[in-house]
Amino acid sequence: MSDAVSAEEVRHVAELARVDLADDEVDQFTRQFADILEYFETLDEVPEVDREADLTNVMRPDEERDSLDREAALENASETEDGYFKGPNVS
């Protein structure tokens, strides 16, 4: 097990999180954090895979079209004000 994490660092993180830890909990978290960091070190050893991704664009190309005029766009709106959509107040 790596000594990458000290009890003092665990206490500091607990203080930042506003969590009170007993001494036995600090020891437990120190071991757990060290184990987690060891797992990350193991992941660093995994070789990268060089491979071209077989991706295809499934989206249609953009096409210009005429848009709705303001009256048609607001036609089904439940509420409008000064030619705009009106929604509920957000506080």
Side-chain angles (χ1 to χ4, degrees):
M1 186 176 355
S2 173
D3 291 325
V5 180
S6 70
E8 188 58 36
E9 289 171 318
V10 171
R11 284 188 182 91
H12 178 69
V13 171
E15 183 181 324
L16 292 174
R18 298 180 183 187
V19 175
D20 293 327
L21 295 178
D23 288 339
D24 60 326
E25 291 173 316
V26 170
D27 293 337
Q28 178 185 3
F29 281 115
T30 302
R31 288 190 304 275
Q32 289 177 346
F33 284 149
D35 289 343
I36 291 168
L37 291 176
E38 251 184 68
Y39 292 135
F40 277 106
E41 288 173 6
T42 303
L43 289 175
D44 286 339
E45 296 170 10
V46 174
E48 292 182 27
V49 176
D50 292 331
R51 153 176 156 13
E52 287 290 322
D54 299 328
L55 301 177
T56 57
N57 186 0
V58 296
M59 305 297 285
R60 66 168 172 75
D62 288 338
E63 299 172 1
E64 276 190 47
R65 306 189 287 185
D66 292 334
S67 61
L68 294 174
D69 62 15
R70 184 178 297 212
E71 289 76 28
L74 295 173
E75 195 171 86
N76 291 323
S78 60
E79 218 175 321
T80 63
E81 184 176 296
D82 298 327
Y84 296 98
F85 291 99
K86 183 172 183 184
N89 291 336
V90 179
S91 57

